[in-house]
Amino acid sequence: MTFTIRPAVRSKIGLLFGIAGASGSGKTFSALTLAEGIKGKDGKIAVIDTEAGRALHYAPKPGDTANPAKGTFDFLHLDFPAPFTPSRYVEAIKAAEDAGATVIVIDSMSHEWDGEGGCSDMAEQAAIAAATDRNGAVQAWKVDAMTAPSWKKPKQLHKRMMAKLIQTRTHLIFCLRAQEKIKFEKVRNEQTGKEKNEIRQLGFMPICEKSFMFELSGSMTMHPETPGQPRYDLQRKLNHDLQQIFPHGEQITIEKGERLRCWADTGEDRPPVDRIAEGVRELVETIQDASTMEALEAITGDKETIRRRKWLADNNRVDLADRITTAVNEALAAFSEDEGEEGAAA
């Protein structure tokens, strides 16, 4: 692989911004307010709604004109029912982009992790399937044993989704549910030397994959007691520039959305999407999803796959060719391991 080194220059970014909060914290209204500022004069807002149409409460009544000052906004609406798989989130965002959206509000992103068909649900169903014997009986002891392995596929799908979101040119605002969490800690009594469990309040925490909020361009958490205001005593990711836009306890406004867009648009244009690399990533995902050795052989033996691998080798895209080879070898190793386990069980 050849590395390229050049002077660092700030580039424009596609915003990935998260707003978390419990019910009544104002996250949906705040997200739409920011989106109104981000879109500018010629942009268009779309809302991907997993909440059974709740976002429509912020749409104007028939015959009325949207008025953000009175809590109504002009936006495209995409109803998004279960299953809430990571790949369907990517499909929904692509559909909103194809409809002309320049800023997309996803309400709620929490379902991707904790909703019907989301990552947690997929892991649970995989553990139950692995613990079910040939007669259809679920062996309870085995469910616990299979919990950790069952997370492999959901985590892989989540990582795929994040890789695609990071490449998105459209500005994305994620609304996430939050719930109060506690932590049990052992505390030693200095006089007696004995330990006891004490409860530590962690406050409202977003419902999502543990690193999701920190992979975004910026994120904040709101509290029902102070709706529409970022709270610095709760989980957040705001660098120095973003703290100037979103001071602690200051209401979200359209003007803040305009400033956020200017912050994202400062710098040189981003390089065009590498379509060849995108195609290789899709091929690698197809290889990873092969469920049988026969399916893997059909993929690797396909004329288009053979042609693509030869083209990469002939055109000095060795790094991409190696990604395909690595994916094939890992799939072969996994199938060999599965065959060994079946043989041992027999």
Side-chain angles (χ1 to χ4, degrees), residues 85-307:
T85 62
S87 59
R88 290 193 73 229
Y89 272 87
V90 174
E91 291 171 8
I93 290 170
K94 179 66 166 56
E97 288 178 325
D98 291 344
T102 56
V103 54
I104 303 172
V105 174
I106 299 95
D107 188 13
S108 156
M109 194 66 197
S110 292
H111 287 91
E112 181 264 343
W113 195 250
D114 200 39
E116 181 183 347
C119 291
S120 298
D121 198 18
M122 283 190 285
E124 181 182 358
Q125 294 305 315
I128 292 173
T132 303
D133 62 24
R134 295 178 180 177
N135 297 319
V138 178
Q139 303 171 47
W141 65 268
K142 198 172 182 180
V143 173
D144 292 337
M146 296 305 299
T147 295
S150 70
W151 272 100
K152 181 178 179 181
K153 189 63 176 181
K155 286 183 176 179
Q156 181 188 64
L157 295 175
H158 176 80
K159 288 175 66 176
R160 285 184 190 175
M161 178 193 73
M162 292 306 302
K164 292 176 180 177
L165 295 184
I166 290 170
Q167 296 298 320
T168 302
R169 264 44 180 178
T170 309
H171 298 307
L172 305 178
I173 303 176
F174 304 97
C175 296
L176 299 105
R177 296 179 176 183
Q179 59 186 12
E180 287 190 287
K181 290 193 175 182
I182 59 174
K183 182 179 181 180
F184 289 95
E185 292 184 339
K186 286 188 177 296
V187 178
R188 181 182 296 274
N189 187 306
E190 295 181 359
Q191 295 180 343
T192 65
K194 295 182 178 180
E195 291 186 340
K196 65 175 182 178
N197 286 324
E198 286 193 358
I199 298 175
R200 182 163 70 92
Q201 299 290 338
L202 300 178
F204 281 96
M205 304 289 286
I207 300 172
C208 58
E209 193 273 336
K210 62 182 179 181
S211 61
F212 177 80
M213 295 288 275
F214 296 99
E215 293 189 48
L216 307 181
S217 315
S219 61
M220 63 178 69
T221 305
M222 297 176 175
H223 196 286
E225 293 177 354
T226 52
Q229 300 175 14
R231 291 275 293 258
Y232 281 22
D233 58 330
L234 300 175
Q235 190 179 106
R236 69 191 187 283
K237 178 190 174 184
L238 298 172
N239 65 17
H240 176 74
D241 291 341
L242 294 178
Q243 288 179 39
Q244 304 306 306
I245 300 174
F246 303 107
H248 167 72
E250 196 169 291
Q251 204 75 25
I252 298 298
T253 62
I254 292 175
E255 183 267 341
K256 293 185 186 299
E258 294 170 350
R259 291 174 62 188
L260 185 58
R261 183 190 69 238
C262 290
W263 176 77
D265 287 346
T266 299
E268 67 178 15
D269 290 334
R270 299 170 69 183
V273 175
D274 187 340
R275 298 298 180 187
I276 296 172
E278 286 290 299
V280 168
R281 182 169 65 183
E282 291 175 1
L283 176 57
V284 167
E285 291 177 359
T286 302
I287 292 169
Q288 292 172 338
D289 289 340
S291 57
T292 63
M293 183 69 79
E294 291 75 16
L296 178 62
E297 290 173 349
I299 296 167
T300 56
D302 182 75
K303 290 182 180 180
E304 177 59 24
T305 302
I306 295 171
R307 183 200 67 78

